[in-house]
């Protein structure tokens, strides 16, 4: 087994990245869109957040307001979709379940990419091709795979696999020196971990490409840009710095915030929306087996349109940590009432829970009726609600304070939303 310069076993990491993931998801159940440009919009259909390769060739950039590109979209018959997060999460889960079958361990990096540990695998390029073909066959999602001894190199190999047709979607690197003909000319901000500030700083020294960055003396990098940039330098040399995180660390805080499609001034509607947020956050707490000790809520108007813009927030520390939806709602309502100001048109609201602790170690109080027996019963009830909502569809069972009529936490503008082909039984495709 090969060793690196520190005498450690040399690893092989594969970065599997779904190509234009949101747009690809929309194409899975629409074969008529195979060669058409596709864009996906942000919440409330505000901006372009994803696009197919055909859309990118038209110059449709991510983050561009939708109204600014309507002429281009109409001219080139671009298919437009509102964000369908339930569909994307479902297809992501299918992709990840396939990847887990080929690796000793997996680090899910985001909804559309994951690192695989292929250290014990022989013929990694061939395995990469098998993975790529199987994911496409079973999910309809195209992927590119970059393989290398470090995560930073695997990222670059993945970019090459996407852009260079000679690699057929799978590229393996060993080190910068051996593979620099493919990446030396690339802009330095293509490097994983080099953000806007580091790019600006490197440009002041006329370091504009990956090649010019790697020509720098190691001592210069460490003294001028310190450890973060030095780590990138070492990883490009094929020396592993970033560790593999197979188990995602638990969140230290959980929040939910949304902008409304239309300004909102009615207290009852605002109350229902915030109650819906509480239910979403409570479910996330239970999913990672945590309770919260502190909760906060905020509301705000549109600062660009409101004559007297307003932002209000309030938080409270709980006597007993909780993951109970009913407790969170009951705690939030007085806070929301305190910051609500009649006459304002609210455009955004949200809640945030922090000071999280494991649900098995929460400290109870002798002064309340919240006993271990009571918590066990509540936990069983809430677990049943979560299971039914997961099985039958989101918001199948809700608390009375939430909206009953529409089963939605808030009205989001989604004029171009596709069907929930994989998560809602009435939207399942039928073959005749």
């Amino acid at each position: 087994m090969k060793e690196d310069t520190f005498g450690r076993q040399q690893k092989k990491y594969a970065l599997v990245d779904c190509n234009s993931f949101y747009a690809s998801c929309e194409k899975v159940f629409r074969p008529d869109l195979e060669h058409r440009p596709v864009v996906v919009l942000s919440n409330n259909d505000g901006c372009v957040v994803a696009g197919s390769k055909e859309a990118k060739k038209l110059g449709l950039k991510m983050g561009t307001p939708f109204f600014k590109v309507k002429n281009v979209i109409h001219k080139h018959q671009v298919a437009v979709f509102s964000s369908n997060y339930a569909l994307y999460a479902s297809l992501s889960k299918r992709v990840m379940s396939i990847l887990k079958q080929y690796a000793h361990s997996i680090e899910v990096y985001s909804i559309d990419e994951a690192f695989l540990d292929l250290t014990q695998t022989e013929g990694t390029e061939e395995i990469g091709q098998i993975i790529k073909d199987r994911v496409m066959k079973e999910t309809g999602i195209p992927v590119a795979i970059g393989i290398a001894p470090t995560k930073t190199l695997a990222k670059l190999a993945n970019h090459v696999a996407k852009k260079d047709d000679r690699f057929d979607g799978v590229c393996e690197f060993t080190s910068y020196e051996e593979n620099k003909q493919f990446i030396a000319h690339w802009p330095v901000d293509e490097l994983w971990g080099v953000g806007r500030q580091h790019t600006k700083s490197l440009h002041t020294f006329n370091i504009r490409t990956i090649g010019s960055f790697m020509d720098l003396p190691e001592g210069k990098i460490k003294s001028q840009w310190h450890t973060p940039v030095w780590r990138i330098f070492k990883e490009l040399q094929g020396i592993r710095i970033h560790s593999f995180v197979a188990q995602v660390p638990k969140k230290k805080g959980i929040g939910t915030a949304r902008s409304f499609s239309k300004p909102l001034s009615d207290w009852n509607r605002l109350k229902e929306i915030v109650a819906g947020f509480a239910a979403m956050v409570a479910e996330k707490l239970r999913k990672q087996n945590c309770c919260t000790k502190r909760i906060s809520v905020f509301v705000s108007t549109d600062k660009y349109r409101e004559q007297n813009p307003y932002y209000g927030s309030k938080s409270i520390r709980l006597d007993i940590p909780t993951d109970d939806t009913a407790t969170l709602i009951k705690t939030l309502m007085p806070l929301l009432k305190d910051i609500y100001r009649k006459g304002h048109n609210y455009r955004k609201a949200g809640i945030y829970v922090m000071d999280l602790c494991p649900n098995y170690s929460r400290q109870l109080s002798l002064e309340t009726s919240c006993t271990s027996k009571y918590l066990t019963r509540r936990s069983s009830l809430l677990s049943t609600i979560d299971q039914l909502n997961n099985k039958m569809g989101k918001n199948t069972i809700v608390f009375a304070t939430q909206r009953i009529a529409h089963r939605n936490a808030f009205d989001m503008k989604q004029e171009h939303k596709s069907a929930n082909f994989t998560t809602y039984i009435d939207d399942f495709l039928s073959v005749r």
Side-chain angles (χ1 to χ4, degrees):
M1 187 65 68
K2 288 185 178 181
E3 295 182 347
D4 64 16
T5 55
F6 293 114
R8 301 172 303 178
Q9 179 188 17
Q10 192 174 67
K11 298 286 188 178
K12 271 197 178 182
Y13 296 144
L15 175 65
V16 183
D17 188 9
C18 301
N19 299 340
S20 306
F21 181 59
Y22 285 4
S24 295
C25 289
E26 298 294 354
K27 286 187 174 188
V28 168
F29 298 97
R30 290 283 305 276
D32 57 305
L33 298 177
E34 183 178 359
H35 300 295
R36 274 184 63 187
V38 171
V39 295
V40 178
L41 306 179
S42 62
N43 290 344
N44 295 312
D45 294 347
C47 300
V48 175
V49 293
S52 64
K53 62 181 181 180
E54 297 88 356
K56 292 171 183 176
K57 287 179 180 178
L58 296 176
L60 294 171
K61 296 181 179 179
M62 306 309 101
T64 306
F66 180 44
F67 73 89
K68 287 188 175 181
V69 294
K70 280 188 175 181
N71 289 338
V72 176
I73 286 172
H74 179 73
K75 179 179 178 181
H76 296 279
Q77 295 183 315
V78 178
V80 178
F81 292 93
S82 303
S83 294
N84 187 342
Y85 299 117
L87 175 65
Y88 310 151
S90 173
L91 289 175
S92 172
K93 190 175 181 180
R94 294 185 184 191
V95 171
M96 299 305 167
S97 68
I98 294 172
L99 301 184
K100 289 176 183 178
Q101 299 175 35
Y102 290 91
H104 173 67
S105 57
I106 179 173
E107 177 184 339
V108 178
Y109 188 66
S110 68
I111 192 172
D112 65 342
E113 58 184 324
F115 286 101
L116 309 183
D117 188 346
L118 300 181
T119 304
Q120 307 297 330
T121 304
E122 298 291 336
T124 46
E125 279 197 70
E126 291 77 10
I127 291 296
Q129 286 292 343
I130 292 171
I131 294 172
K132 179 178 74 74
D133 294 342
R134 186 179 169 195
V135 171
M136 183 64 187
K137 181 180 179 180
E138 296 188 15
T139 69
I141 302 296
V143 300
I145 302 176
I147 306 168
T150 69
K151 287 183 173 181
T152 303
L153 273 173
K155 275 273 190 181
L156 290 175
N158 184 277
H159 289 330
V160 173
K162 283 184 178 181
K163 296 179 180 181
D164 195 327
D165 293 336
R166 291 175 295 176
F167 289 91
D168 193 25
V170 179
C171 174
E172 182 167 353
F173 281 176
T174 53
S175 69
Y176 169 77
E177 280 301 319
E178 293 190 34
N179 305 104
K180 62 183 179 182
Q181 68 268 31
F182 300 110
I183 56 176
H185 60 285
W186 285 12
V188 71
D189 59 3
E190 289 280 355
L191 289 172
W192 185 42
V194 174
R196 188 177 301 173
Q197 292 302 318
H198 280 143
T199 300
K200 187 177 179 180
S201 177
L202 288 164
H203 283 178
T204 60
F205 289 85
N206 203 29
I207 309 301
R208 299 185 179 276
T209 65
I210 294 176
S212 58
F213 171 72
M214 292 303 293
D215 288 338
L216 289 170
E218 183 177 337
K220 171 74 172 177
I221 292 175
K222 203 163 186 178
S223 63
Q224 185 67 44
W225 293 284
H226 308 298
T227 303
V229 176
W230 173 79
R231 286 174 177 164
I232 297 169
F233 181 80
K234 298 304 287 183
E235 288 241 327
L236 289 174
Q237 291 180 329
I239 299 171
R240 186 175 77 256
I241 302 294
H242 296 298
S243 58
F244 196 85
V245 185
Q247 186 172 0
V248 179
K250 292 182 177 180
K251 297 177 181 179
K252 296 180 180 179
I254 298 173
T256 295
R258 296 287 189 275
S259 296
F260 311 134
S261 58
K262 297 177 182 178
L264 179 66
S265 60
D266 182 66
W267 159 252
N268 290 321
R269 286 285 293 109
L270 186 62
K271 181 177 67 172
E272 291 166 351
I273 289 172
V274 171
F277 291 166
M280 294 165 65
V281 167
E283 184 179 359
K284 292 177 183 178
L285 283 170
R286 294 191 290 272
K287 191 173 182 180
Q288 71 170 39
N289 300 314
C290 283
C291 294
T292 180
K293 300 177 185 177
R294 182 178 291 274
I295 183 170
S296 65
V297 60
F298 80 87
V299 293
S300 68
T301 60
D302 189 335
K303 63 181 179 180
Y304 297 108
R305 296 189 178 185
E306 187 86 358
Q307 187 173 4
N308 296 306
Y310 171 72
Y311 174 88
S313 67
K314 199 163 187 178
S315 64
I316 191 172
R317 185 172 181 82
L318 304 173
D319 294 331
I320 300 176
T322 188
D323 62 359
D324 192 321
T325 304
T327 302
L328 290 182
I329 292 174
K330 186 177 179 180
T331 305
L332 276 168
M333 290 304 109
L335 300 181
L336 182 63
K337 190 71 173 177
D338 286 345
I339 61 175
Y340 173 77
R341 299 289 183 270
K342 192 174 181 180
H344 281 296
N345 291 314
Y346 296 101
R347 199 60 192 256
K348 191 173 184 178
I351 70 170
Y352 190 74
V353 296
M354 60 216 90
D355 293 347
L356 306 187
C357 66
N359 57 10
Y360 57 79
S361 65
R362 57 180 146 189
Q363 186 69 44
L364 303 182
S365 172
L366 296 174
E367 299 178 1
T368 70
S369 59
C370 188
T371 62
S372 295
K373 186 177 180 180
Y374 169 80
L375 291 176
T376 300
R377 292 203 312 268
R378 291 295 297 179
S379 178
S380 178
L381 171 64
L382 294 166
S383 176
T384 302
I385 291 174
D386 291 342
Q387 290 174 26
L388 287 170
N389 283 333
N390 288 331
K391 184 178 181 179
M392 306 302 293
K394 187 177 179 181
N395 291 335
T396 298
I397 297 179
V398 298
F399 284 75
T401 318
Q402 297 172 249
R403 292 179 63 192
I404 300 298
H406 300 288
R407 303 285 186 183
N408 287 318
F410 63 97
D411 290 325
M412 186 191 292
K413 184 180 179 183
Q414 292 180 304
E415 296 178 352
H416 310 278
K417 185 174 177 291
S418 56
N420 293 324
F421 295 109
T422 60
T423 58
Y424 185 52
I425 194 167
D426 289 344
D427 288 344
F428 286 5
L429 292 176
S430 59
V431 180
R432 299 177 181 176

